[in-house]
Amino acid sequence: MERKLFSPYTIKNVELKNRIVMSPMCMYSSNEHGEVTDWHKVHYASRAIGGTALIMVEATAVTPQGRISERDLGIWNDRHIEGLKQLTSLIHEHGAKAAIQIAHAGRKANISGEVIAPSSIPFNEKSKVPQEMTEAQIEETITAFRDAAQRAKVSGFDIIELHGAHGYLINEFLSPLSNRRNDKYGGTLENHYRFLKEIIAAVKTVWDGPLFVRVSANDYHPEGLSVHDYIQIASWLKQDGTDLIDVSSGAVVPAAIHVYPGYQVPFSDAIKNEADIATGAVGLITSGIQAEEILQNGRADLIFIARELLRNPYWPRQAAQELRTSIPSPVQYERGW
């Protein structure tokens, strides 16, 4: 029987050798200028060597103000391109495709200076009160996403993901818990979506490769968004040229979330099958058997692995063993595999 986890997957002009994706995870390891360091080269290349098909680089800031921390990677300046080129070259050399998640932290930016958001509402009592963005600032930020996409293209990335989850800026515009605007970016769900829609349109003027969007498909709050809202958002994303939705959840406001293996998979399932768009599943997926079940039952198209790949860069091999199949080893490791 074919193991779907190890079957190829083509999205637009990019073929992945299997369905395993390294989920974007902040490393807080850049230098003070947001540039790639040796840490990033070792970290990402080792997962490519280990058999992961798509290596997605962590949330990379489109402006200095949009960093989650002052040690985040950046893509707001052409000086970032050389290090990112080295990174994509290493990933490609070791048999994987390279993706980058471009992001703006909004009110969750933990940096010196003021932070910006759709509305002047802090994340929690310990957070800065953000400045409500003017329409000029919104336009500047959309342009920053477009320019970041152009730099990602020059840097050799195969796929771009827009970070629309986890309470960062795009997510803040989407959720009524963080967006109380009364202009064209607030009020209705369609108006809340407008910021993301305009980012996608701007990005697509410079990028024709696969475009992913990560969403938080549940705010875990009675007045927030649920997966049913995201089915509608997903249909708009599809119309606007998004190729795959990376389905996460939470973190737009503090919330008690009951987590368990695969707790976010039902959100991916609903969006994939009700909005008819490709999805990636993420969230405490730790075994090959679990990943195979998700794929065979049509609940996602790709499997995004996060912490398990931090624990084990060779998780694809472990998953193959669990599924009683094998994958090619790096030539240098044949005696051990």
Side-chain angles (χ1 to χ4, degrees):
M1 179 182 175
E2 180 192 24
R3 302 305 184 188
K4 200 162 186 180
L5 185 62
F6 295 103
S7 65
Y9 183 73
T10 300
I11 190 155
K12 256 189 172 174
N13 58 334
V14 175
E15 181 177 290
L16 306 179
K17 64 185 177 183
N18 60 48
R19 307 297 182 98
I20 303 168
V21 181
M22 182 178 184
S23 203
M25 291 174 279
C26 291
M27 292 292 108
Y28 310 112
S29 297
S30 77
N31 63 22
E32 65 271 25
H33 304 296
E35 295 169 325
V36 168
T37 65
D38 286 347
W39 162 264
H40 298 100
K41 296 171 191 175
V42 172
H43 172 64
Y44 290 114
S46 64
R47 275 73 190 172
I49 291 168
T52 296
L54 179 63
I55 305 297
M56 188 172 291
V57 174
E58 63 206 72
T60 304
V62 300
T63 70
Q65 190 181 40
R67 291 172 291 173
I68 300 166
S69 83
E70 293 186 345
R71 292 290 177 174
D72 280 14
L73 283 179
I75 194 166
W76 65 79
N77 192 302
D78 287 352
R79 70 184 290 173
H80 295 124
I81 291 172
E82 182 53 36
L84 293 169
K85 270 186 175 178
Q86 293 173 23
L87 211 50
T88 58
S89 177
L90 282 167
I91 291 167
H92 290 149
E93 180 183 341
H94 296 295
K97 301 297 185 184
I100 187 169
Q101 184 188 67
I102 57 175
H104 191 297
R107 69 180 185 176
K108 293 180 85 172
N110 186 15
I111 57 168
S112 57
E114 71 179 19
V115 298
I116 57 174
S119 298
S120 188
I121 306 168
F123 175 70
N124 60 26
E125 66 279 357
K126 296 178 181 177
S127 301
K128 290 181 180 178
V129 177
Q131 174 195 343
E132 180 171 313
M133 294 170 74
T134 64
E135 288 201 18
Q137 287 175 314
I138 289 172
E139 290 172 11
E140 288 167 3
T141 305
I142 291 167
T143 299
F145 272 96
R146 182 202 66 195
D147 293 347
Q150 175 63 29
R151 293 186 185 103
K153 181 177 181 178
V154 173
S155 299
F157 285 98
D158 303 291
I159 293 171
I160 290 174
E161 177 169 279
L162 303 176
H163 197 350
H166 301 162
Y168 300 122
L169 187 62
I170 293 172
N171 193 185
E172 291 164 21
F173 270 90
L174 291 170
S175 176
L177 301 174
S178 47
N179 182 350
R180 305 282 173 82
R181 300 177 72 93
N182 55 17
D183 63 2
K184 65 181 181 180
Y185 294 98
T188 65
L189 184 63
E190 191 166 9
N191 280 355
H192 284 224
Y193 172 70
R194 189 185 305 275
F195 180 60
L196 176 53
K197 179 184 180 72
E198 291 180 354
I199 288 172
I200 292 169
V203 164
K204 290 181 80 67
T205 64
V206 298
W207 176 259
D208 58 5
L211 183 66
F212 295 3
V213 176
R214 175 166 270 197
V215 301
S216 280
N218 193 334
D219 287 347
Y220 300 103
H221 188 287
E223 296 171 17
L225 299 181
S226 71
V227 69
H228 302 292
D229 299 300
Y230 273 96
I231 291 166
Q232 176 60 69
I233 290 169
S235 71
W236 292 332
L237 286 169
K238 181 179 178 181
Q239 289 170 17
D240 291 333
T242 301
D243 298 294
L244 181 141
I245 300 179
D246 171 6
V247 186
S248 188
S249 68
V252 74
V253 292
I257 302 172
H258 177 47
V259 302
Y260 50 87
Y263 73 103
Q264 295 175 139
V265 174
F267 305 141
S268 169
D269 190 343
I271 289 170
K272 173 179 167 60
N273 291 295
E274 294 189 45
D276 189 27
I277 189 170
T279 62
V282 66
L284 295 185
I285 300 169
T286 59
S287 76
I289 292 169
Q290 182 187 9
E292 187 71 8
E293 179 276 319
I294 294 165
L295 295 170
Q296 289 285 358
N297 283 315
R299 306 170 80 191
D301 299 274
L302 296 176
I303 302 295
F304 283 65
I305 302 294
R307 287 171 177 80
E308 203 61 27
L309 273 171
L310 296 184
R311 291 186 277 267
N312 179 7
Y314 311 104
W315 184 84
R317 176 176 178 264
Q318 175 184 311
Q321 289 176 320
E322 290 167 354
L323 292 168
R324 299 187 179 183
T325 188
S326 61
I327 59 173
S329 72
V331 172
Q332 299 89 336
Y333 293 176
E334 282 177 354
R335 77 190 80 176
W337 280 31

